Amino acid sequence: MEGKVILMLANNNRSVINKLAENTIRTNKRQFFILFLTILLSSFMLFSIFTIGLTYLDLSRLQNTRLYGSEYDIAVMNGFTEDQREILCNRSDIKSVGVLAYCGNVKSSDSDRSVNAGFLWGDKMYWESQKAPAVTEMKGHYPQTRNELLATEEVLEACGKSSLSVGGCLSLTYEDYTGIHTTDFVISGIWKGYGGDKASFYVSKDFYEQTGYDLESSGILQVKFKSNYMTGKTIEKLRESLGLSLTQVFQASEYIERSLTILFAVLGLCFIICLSAYLLIYNILYLSVSGKIRYYGLLQTLGMTKKQLVRFIRKQILLVGVTGITAGIILGISVSLILVPYVVKVLGISLGNTGLYFYPEVLTLSILVTAAAILCGVRKPVHIAADVTPVEAVKYRGNIVVPCARKKRQGNLYWRMAKDQLKNNKKRTAVVFLSLAMSLIVFFCLTTLIDSQGRRTVYPNYWDADFIIHNSTQTTEDITSLRQAIDDAFLSDIQKTEGVAEIHAVKGIPVTFPYEEGGFSDFWIKGCTEMKPYLTCSDAVSEYQKNPEKYYGMIKGIDESEFDYLNGSLGSIIDQQEFLSGKTAILQYAGFEIPKKWIGSSISFSTGNQKQEIKIGAVSYGDYYGATVNFGANLIVSENYLESLTSKPYVLSLTVKYKQSYDVETEKEIKNIIEANPYNHDLLSISKYDDMKTIQDSQSGMFETGTVISLLLLLVGMLNYINTMANSMQNRKLTFSIMESVGMSKKQVKKLLIREGMLYAGGSVFITLTIGTGITWFIFQSMNYMKIPFAIPVLPLLCAILLVMILCVLTPIVTYKRTVRNRSVTERLREYE
Amino acid sequence: MERVIVKTNSLSKHYHVGTQTVIALDGVNFEVKEREFVSIIGKSGCGKSTLLHMIGGLDFPTSGTVIVDGMNLSEMNEEQLALFRRRKAGFIFQQYNLIPDLNIYDNITFPLELDGAVVDKEFIQELVETLHIADKLEMFPSMLSGGEQQRAAIARALATKPAIILADEPTGNLDTSASHDVIGLLKVIAEKYQQTLIVITHDLDIAQMADRTVRLQDGKIWKGK
């Protein structure tokens, strides 16, 4: 044979290899099932999390739109120029530029003499593009003619016209920059939806143009970008390009300002999910292929070439991979697009306009990531299997990791061995930690956000009250208009309500400020005319001199505890004794600048025939006490001082605090008491519970979706752990048999496994509580609009941790029992001989 | 007269492979006296390992009894058998069966630690020096040669000073010189600590080193024609 060259000619052995691959899978169902399950879980996890995640992002954008009342990223307020509008309209990165403008306020209707509502005008772009996502129902059309109004049920109720429908008429007295007018209007449309504009009427362009308001001084430009993610730099450049005046305000929405943070957080989560899927598949593939080295050696002994062996292994993985990915995607579609919406529907939760949609890019990404993980994961074990000689393969006794030489150590045997297990198989440990910790972190993060949602986003009422009732019976110019709508019986009913912890009444009486040229009343009336362009200063002063009652003000008395709160908010600048004894008063800001010279000066006022004098100690800029509609100044004094002026003060406002915030029953009872009040239409209520409900309503399934994501991740994390442990037990069968052969009892094996489980759980919980708390804190703060303190929802987190711990401890024991079954040590040892 | 330490009465073991029943042991009556060195020989599949595993409490008999040092293993539950293996028997396998995750020292002291016993360091040192593995204690099994691993396995079997040492072809993976060294060492140590030694072997030279040789054939003790 010397000098001869042996040529290997290609045989058509593909069908033999394919058949062998299929048979191997069939006869090793148990091992291949674990691999199949891993691939299934990974593709399922990727598909479901990305599908639900994208929906979550859509919902959070929708919530933002609803909270703001329309869809925009930037608002230019206090007027704008045509040039600025042009600049914005010409930019290629901007989707829409809408115009919104305030143009007057309603003072009364033919059914209610005291109404508090506004007039707004929005252009076509605003109404049809930006406002549309916040409108859930629309009857009729946007106003076209001067006498048409677009209303909400809320504003009609405020006007005492709740029975009106589209086409109905009402007479309104309103104030604009040209004066006070009474006009008959027709309701052109009624809309339902979200936003702070529900207490306003929308008017036509014709109407707007005759109100005296102009876009240059009071219009609002609303800008929506094409992209949902913008850098701070782009926003800043946009601001600079507009050349804003000193009075103009450029405001970016919270969402767009944080959009990049959100994007990075989402990309980070995607990366972790993909990495976790990759590690999981890699680990199981590695163990699966290397666990069959003896078999592959046997095939080589029988004459299979390395090339054929590689093809054989790849064929097996391909079969399992394709089946696993397909099953995972089908499961993902079933759970995300069928099961979750069904359960959500059964539970009566509305997903609003946004449901869970099928995203083709998610399907592609899930398949690509899973396939890439399989391709990367199979490379190394295939090389090991192909490179091992048949003789080495026959001696192969499982996947043994060679640790570094280690000195004798002290400490408990079980803990030591458990720690070694985690150290010796770093990839498996990483997979378990990553997958469990990720599940827990997402759960932690979402429950923290869900738990704090109300508090983070609901503006706290004055004094953090649960319910505030304002007496709005008074009219602007009639000093006798105020009624005792909140009388003693009403107060007593509220006080007696179960669930009410305390009530604080702000009492008051109308007073007049005699005109003094150059004095306080002169300053005040001139300040007021600045706010009303239709009034000339000289006319107003001469009218004031003739009828000071028309410009009446209010003395408001507060109790000691309320004073402490108010004084605290002012920086404790008022001496308590001076205030309580009636020497000092706090002046209420009314929209124009109050020079410092008035602080410390005494002002005169009259109650009936009595003339009084009091010193101004400070100016309060809060709007709570400013709910009264009178022209004249409002002075806040002590309750005792007020009672020295009159024996029968009016109750202007009532602050109610509950024993338990957001108590539905108490809320219901208070509303019933208000309903029974003859002045119920003139009692203006502000409810913390209602505010919270409004926000919850605007979320429309967002948190249900979030909860589904976190529970899915938790479930997938747990399934990953169970799968990894099942594989690990298969791999360590021989080690357990050896340990039992030298005297380790099953009880002792369980002790060891419990400690291993505890270490896995402990590690994951540690990562969750450290890195997870950091991530949660960061996300929490980026959405903490109300700057509330960071608080962890202890109970749900503890439950999740407990669940993970139980699972971590029980899984190895159960999988060990299943691996051992009832076979004797000898039987198990013989498997490896 | 030396007392009997191992006694089997009509010991049988049947395995089920698919629909077939394999009779590994068929009514074996067998005795070993205290401090005796017995070798068991026989063809592959004749039941040698099964007999040894029964004596070592690694498997349950189908019928019959195994009495070791006065204890009836057939009546013990799994926990009691584990305790028996840990305290009374020292097992040496052909495949060494060292725990791959533990270093040699931890492997040797493993049965003692399972018992929560204080490790007699002087005794372990004497043992590893006798077995020439004193410099391998920090290494892991996969770092050692076959002979070194087998000596580590012997050290582990002897660490608890068991009454009986059971060796299942301890020299199967070793060359002739190493085989004689290992058996020589086992014999010296067993004599030194007054232990009973039962060795399964294919090697007749090694079998001849024993006080008595028992031959198994088709699951029964062969008594000659």
Side-chain angles (χ1 to χ4, degrees):
Chain A
M1 293 295 281
E2 207 174 315
K4 282 186 180 176
V5 176
I6 298 170
L7 287 173
M8 294 264 297
L9 296 171
N11 294 326
N12 185 15
N13 48 26
R14 199 174 290 270
S15 61
V16 178
I17 288 178
N18 288 354
K19 198 177 168 189
L20 187 64
E22 282 165 26
N23 282 344
T24 312
I25 293 172
R26 219 167 283 142
T27 48
N28 291 282
K29 273 182 201 151
R30 203 182 169 86
Q31 283 114 330
F32 279 102
F33 181 70
I34 291 178
L35 181 63
F36 165 79
L37 204 64
T38 307
I39 295 169
L40 180 149
L41 279 177
S42 300
S43 49
F44 164 68
M45 173 177 77
L46 290 168
F47 184 84
S48 312
I49 302 294
F50 287 147
T51 299
I52 301 174
L54 279 178
T55 308
Y56 183 82
L57 278 183
D58 283 349
L59 285 171
S60 66
R61 270 194 291 274
L62 181 68
Q63 185 210 6
N64 207 52
T65 300
R66 288 173 171 181
L67 282 177
Y68 282 98
S70 56
E71 189 181 38
Y72 69 93
D73 298 318
I74 305 283
V76 179
M77 293 183 283
N78 291 350
F80 59 87
T81 65
E82 203 45 48
D83 288 347
Q84 287 169 336
R85 188 176 172 181
E86 198 90 337
I87 291 170
L88 291 168
C89 289
N90 290 337
R91 282 181 67 118
S92 57
D93 57 348
I94 287 175
K95 184 180 159 192
S96 64
V97 180
V99 176
L100 179 67
Y102 172 82
C103 54
N105 65 295
V106 180
K107 297 174 88 67
S108 63
S109 72
D110 47 359
S111 302
D112 194 331
R113 65 194 182 101
S114 56
V115 176
N116 196 4
F119 279 149
L120 293 171
W121 169 69
D123 71 351
K124 201 174 171 187
M125 183 62 86
Y126 167 80
W127 183 256
E128 289 180 3
S129 170
Q130 297 180 337
K131 181 71 197 172
V135 176
T136 52
E137 198 184 318
M138 173 80 180
K139 281 181 195 159
H141 60 83
Y142 192 87
Q144 304 295 322
T145 59
R146 200 172 283 191
N147 69 334
E148 283 186 332
L149 291 177
L150 176 64
T152 58
E153 283 171 359
E154 288 82 353
V155 78
L156 287 176
E157 198 182 334
C159 294
K161 293 280 185 183
S162 46
S163 58
L164 273 189
S165 56
V166 176
C169 296
L170 80 165
S171 173
L172 296 176
T173 300
Y174 65 93
E175 182 183 26
D176 61 18
Y177 270 4
T178 62
I180 297 173
H181 319 274
T182 300
T183 309
D184 290 335
F185 291 96
V186 176
I187 302 297
S188 72
I190 295 176
W191 67 278
K192 281 182 185 171
Y194 301 89
D197 51 354
K198 287 167 82 176
S200 300
F201 289 103
Y202 275 96
V203 298
S204 64
K205 193 177 181 194
D206 277 359
F207 182 90
Y208 173 74
E209 283 168 347
Q210 49 111 54
T211 55
Y213 289 87
D214 64 279
L215 294 174
E216 285 211 12
S217 55
S218 62
I220 299 168
L221 268 184
Q222 291 197 166
V223 180
K224 173 79 187 111
F225 288 113
K226 279 181 183 159
S227 166
N228 289 320
Y229 308 99
M230 298 305 284
T231 62
K233 221 174 182 177
T234 312
I235 296 171
E236 186 51 33
K237 271 191 182 165
L238 177 71
R239 197 185 72 82
E240 281 168 11
S241 73
L242 293 175
L244 300 168
S245 69
L246 285 174
T247 53
Q248 280 183 295
V249 175
F250 179 93
Q251 197 179 51
S253 74
E254 295 271 3
Y255 186 87
I256 201 75
E257 277 195 326
R258 289 175 166 82
S259 61
L260 273 190
T261 316
I262 293 168
L263 183 67
F264 285 133
V266 169
L267 288 179
L269 189 66
C270 287
F271 176 73
I272 294 173
I273 291 171
C274 292
L275 183 73
S276 143
Y278 165 72
L279 280 175
L280 190 71
I281 291 175
Y282 175 87
N283 195 42
I284 302 288
L285 262 178
Y286 186 84
L287 295 176
S288 170
V289 175
S290 56
K292 292 186 191 63
I293 295 282
R294 292 176 109 193
Y295 177 57
Y296 300 142
L298 174 72
L299 293 176
Q300 287 194 63
T301 315
L302 295 174
M304 194 180 252
T305 64
K306 279 185 183 176
K307 209 173 161 188
Q308 288 169 337
L309 184 67
V310 169
R311 208 160 72 217
F312 167 65
I313 298 172
R314 283 193 179 148
K315 179 72 192 177
Q316 289 178 54
I317 305 299
L318 181 76
L319 283 173
V320 181
V322 169
T323 330
I325 292 176
T326 312
I329 298 291
I330 292 171
L331 187 67
I333 291 173
S334 317
V335 171
S336 334
L337 303 176
I338 301 167
L339 186 69
V340 171
Y342 176 74
V343 171
V344 163
K345 202 178 158 192
V346 167
L347 293 175
I349 299 159
S350 157
L351 282 176
N353 298 331
T354 311
L356 289 160
Y357 296 117
F358 176 74
Y359 298 89
E361 54 270 41
V362 166
L363 177 72
T364 317
L365 183 77
S366 313
I367 294 173
L368 283 180
V369 172
T370 320
I374 294 172
L375 285 177
C376 296
V378 84
R379 277 179 62 190
K380 200 179 169 187
V382 160
H383 280 296
I384 296 171
D387 290 344
V388 75
T389 65
V391 177
E392 284 170 338
V394 171
K395 283 183 184 169
Y396 192 85
R397 297 192 86 199
N399 182 41
I400 293 163
V401 181
V402 183
C404 302
R406 201 181 288 144
K407 289 192 173 174
K408 293 172 257 177
R409 287 148 319 136
Q410 300 299 312
N412 181 287
L413 174 76
Y414 305 111
W415 281 115
R416 226 168 58 208
M417 289 180 72
K419 273 187 231 163
D420 285 348
Q421 258 310 306
L422 267 69
K423 269 193 232 161
N424 290 348
N425 203 329
K426 292 190 178 73
K427 277 199 196 92
R428 188 181 63 209
T429 310
V431 170
V432 172
F433 278 172
L434 204 70
S435 133
L436 279 179
M438 188 179 67
S439 316
L440 276 174
I441 289 170
V442 175
F443 183 81
F444 181 12
C445 196
L446 284 174
T447 44
T448 305
L449 292 179
I450 293 166
D451 185 61
S452 62
Q453 180 64 13
R455 287 174 293 120
R456 270 188 300 109
T457 47
V458 173
Y459 276 93
N461 289 322
Y462 174 76
W463 209 357
D464 202 18
D466 292 295
F467 206 95
I468 294 171
I469 307 163
H470 284 297
N471 175 349
S472 63
T473 51
Q474 65 168 143
T475 59
T476 309
E477 293 174 353
D478 184 0
I479 194 168
T480 62
S481 59
L482 192 61
R483 300 282 179 273
Q484 192 62 287
I486 304 174
D487 58 14
D488 290 345
F490 183 87
L491 285 175
S492 154
D493 286 348
I494 298 275
Q495 178 83 71
K496 276 188 223 155
T497 305
E498 210 186 322
V500 168
E502 52 181 301
I503 61 168
H504 291 272
V506 174
K507 294 171 183 172
I509 45 160
V511 293
T512 54
F513 296 92
Y515 184 77
E516 295 160 16
E517 201 172 340
F520 179 76
S521 53
D522 187 43
F523 151 75
W524 195 264
I525 185 64
K526 282 173 183 167
C528 285
T529 54
E530 274 176 33
M531 312 270 297
K532 297 177 189 299
Y534 61 89
L535 284 178
T536 61
C537 194
S538 55
D539 286 351
V541 169
S542 100
E543 182 67 20
Y544 194 112
Q545 283 169 326
K546 276 187 239 163
N547 290 310
E549 311 83 50
K550 250 179 100 173
Y551 298 88
Y552 77 95
M554 195 75 76
I555 294 283
K556 302 173 177 180
I558 58 173
D559 63 21
E560 198 177 327
S561 54
E562 203 163 348
F563 165 75
D564 289 340
Y565 175 78
L566 176 61
N567 198 22
S569 71
L570 295 172
S572 302
I573 50 173
I574 310 275
D575 181 82
Q576 191 190 35
Q577 276 314 308
E578 286 208 352
F579 182 84
L580 295 178
S581 62
K583 286 179 186 157
T584 316
I586 298 167
L587 176 64
Q588 186 86 53
Y589 174 72
F592 50 88
E593 199 188 334
I594 299 171
K596 278 187 180 162
K597 70 168 187 176
W598 296 111
I599 312 291
S601 65
S602 292
I603 56 171
S604 316
F605 63 90
S606 300
T607 55
N609 297 324
Q610 285 180 308
K611 201 173 171 189
Q612 308 287 339
E613 217 176 65
I614 196 161
K615 194 172 77 184
I616 298 174
V619 177
S620 164
Y621 288 88
D623 59 359
Y624 168 67
Y625 300 99
T628 43
V629 295
N630 41 282
F631 261 130
N634 291 317
L635 293 174
I636 301 164
V637 298
S638 74
E639 199 175 31
N640 290 343
Y641 177 67
L642 176 74
E643 277 163 10
S644 74
L645 300 175
T646 176
S647 56
K648 279 198 170 173
Y650 294 96
V651 177
L652 303 177
S653 301
L654 188 67
T655 305
V656 185
K657 286 190 183 183
Y658 298 167
K659 285 174 186 161
Q660 201 171 352
S661 269
Y662 305 113
D663 182 356
V664 189
E665 286 307 311
T666 312
E667 184 89 10
K668 214 183 277 174
E669 278 195 46
I670 287 181
K671 282 181 181 165
N672 286 341
I673 296 169
I674 293 173
E675 199 53 44
N677 189 306
Y679 294 99
N680 59 17
H681 288 294
D682 288 318
L683 289 177
L684 203 85
S685 309
I686 299 169
S687 152
K688 196 161 134 183
Y689 175 81
D690 284 348
D691 290 348
M692 197 255 302
K693 288 301 276 181
T694 307
I695 287 180
Q696 271 183 0
D697 195 25
S698 71
Q699 285 158 4
S700 175
M702 183 176 152
F703 284 108
E704 286 78 7
T705 318
T707 310
V708 170
I709 293 182
S710 59
L711 289 178
L712 258 182
L713 266 176
L714 203 62
L715 179 76
V716 170
M718 289 181 186
L719 287 174
N720 278 348
Y721 177 74
I722 292 171
N723 202 26
T724 310
M725 278 298 123
N727 203 300
S728 165
M729 286 304 142
Q730 282 286 334
N731 211 42
R732 292 166 67 196
K733 250 186 335 190
L734 175 66
T735 308
F736 288 126
S737 308
I738 295 173
M739 291 199 288
E740 285 179 56
S741 74
V742 294
M744 192 174 206
S745 64
K746 285 211 165 71
K747 212 170 163 184
Q748 286 174 315
V749 174
K750 281 177 198 163
K751 270 187 187 175
L752 171 67
L753 292 176
I754 286 173
R755 277 155 183 83
E756 277 180 30
M758 282 165 85
L759 283 180
Y760 279 122
S764 311
V765 169
F766 178 75
I767 295 172
T768 307
L769 295 181
T770 50
I771 299 173
T773 307
I775 293 171
T776 307
W777 185 87
F778 179 75
I779 295 174
F780 177 92
Q781 293 303 356
S782 71
M783 296 179 178
N784 189 4
Y785 310 129
M786 291 300 108
K787 308 287 172 220
I788 62 155
F790 177 66
I792 295 168
V794 182
L795 196 67
L797 186 65
L798 269 182
C799 289
I801 287 175
L802 200 69
L803 191 71
V804 165
M805 288 192 120
I806 291 171
L807 179 96
C808 280
V809 170
L810 286 184
T811 306
I813 295 174
V814 174
T815 46
Y816 163 72
K817 267 190 174 172
R818 284 185 62 88
T819 312
V820 170
R821 281 175 280 168
N822 279 329
R823 293 176 312 151
S824 68
V825 183
T826 306
E827 284 174 279
R828 284 182 276 144
L829 281 173
R830 277 196 174 142
E831 272 183 44
Y832 293 87
E833 281 173 7
Chain B
M1 194 178 161
E2 279 161 350
R3 72 176 179 116
V4 171
I5 192 163
V6 177
K7 186 177 168 69
T8 70
N9 293 317
S10 308
L11 186 66
S12 293
K13 178 71 185 178
H14 300 173
Y15 290 110
H16 299 281
V17 180
T19 51
Q20 282 193 319
T21 303
V22 176
I23 300 169
L25 289 177
D26 189 7
V28 172
N29 292 304
F30 171 66
E31 280 184 5
V32 179
K33 293 196 178 84
E34 205 168 18
R35 281 181 285 174
E36 196 178 7
F37 175 11
V38 176
S39 65
I40 302 174
I41 58 167
K43 287 180 186 168
S44 284
C46 69
K48 304 184 295 284
S49 295
T50 309
L51 176 63
L52 203 72
H53 289 166
M54 297 287 166
I55 295 167
L58 284 173
D59 211 345
F60 300 97
T62 309
S63 63
T65 54
V66 183
I67 294 163
V68 180
D69 204 13
M71 289 178 282
N72 188 348
L73 305 193
S74 331
E75 288 173 354
M76 287 183 176
N77 61 25
E78 282 192 354
E79 280 297 309
Q80 289 166 326
L81 279 176
L83 215 69
F84 165 79
R85 290 196 294 270
R86 205 188 301 160
R87 292 178 181 169
K88 294 283 177 188
F91 235 103
I92 302 163
F93 301 90
Q94 184 184 359
Q95 302 284 352
Y96 328 129
N97 283 355
L98 293 169
I99 300 160
D101 305 326
L102 299 181
N103 68 18
I104 298 302
Y105 181 84
D106 288 339
N107 257 292
I108 294 170
T109 55
F110 184 68
L112 287 165
E113 292 204 70
L114 285 177
D115 228 3
V118 180
V119 177
D120 183 348
K121 287 180 183 165
E122 276 179 28
F123 173 66
I124 299 292
Q125 191 58 34
E126 187 187 325
L127 211 54
V128 295
E129 275 171 16
T130 313
L131 290 160
H132 311 298
I133 50 165
D135 56 339
K136 312 285 180 196
L137 298 182
E138 288 173 12
M139 294 185 165
F140 283 84
S142 54
M143 297 167 172
L144 305 187
S145 70
E148 287 168 334
Q149 286 192 57
Q150 191 59 293
R151 276 178 275 154
I154 293 171
R156 180 181 62 187
L158 299 171
T160 51
K161 297 177 189 164
I164 178 165
I165 300 167
L166 304 164
D168 188 356
E169 300 204 32
T171 59
N173 287 324
L174 305 177
D175 58 39
T176 316
S177 147
S179 300
H180 283 91
D181 284 352
V182 165
I183 296 297
L185 273 171
L186 262 177
K187 203 174 167 187
V188 167
I189 291 168
E191 276 168 14
K192 188 173 177 182
Y193 298 108
Q194 300 181 349
Q195 289 158 316
T196 306
L197 182 60
I198 305 175
V199 176
I200 290 178
T201 184
H202 274 112
D203 190 334
L204 289 176
D205 285 348
I206 288 172
Q208 276 169 11
M209 290 164 80
D211 302 331
R212 180 161 62 101
T213 299
V214 173
R215 187 171 168 187
L216 272 180
Q217 190 170 306
D218 298 331
K220 291 177 178 161
I221 304 278
W222 188 77
K223 291 170 182 166
K225 281 185 180 174

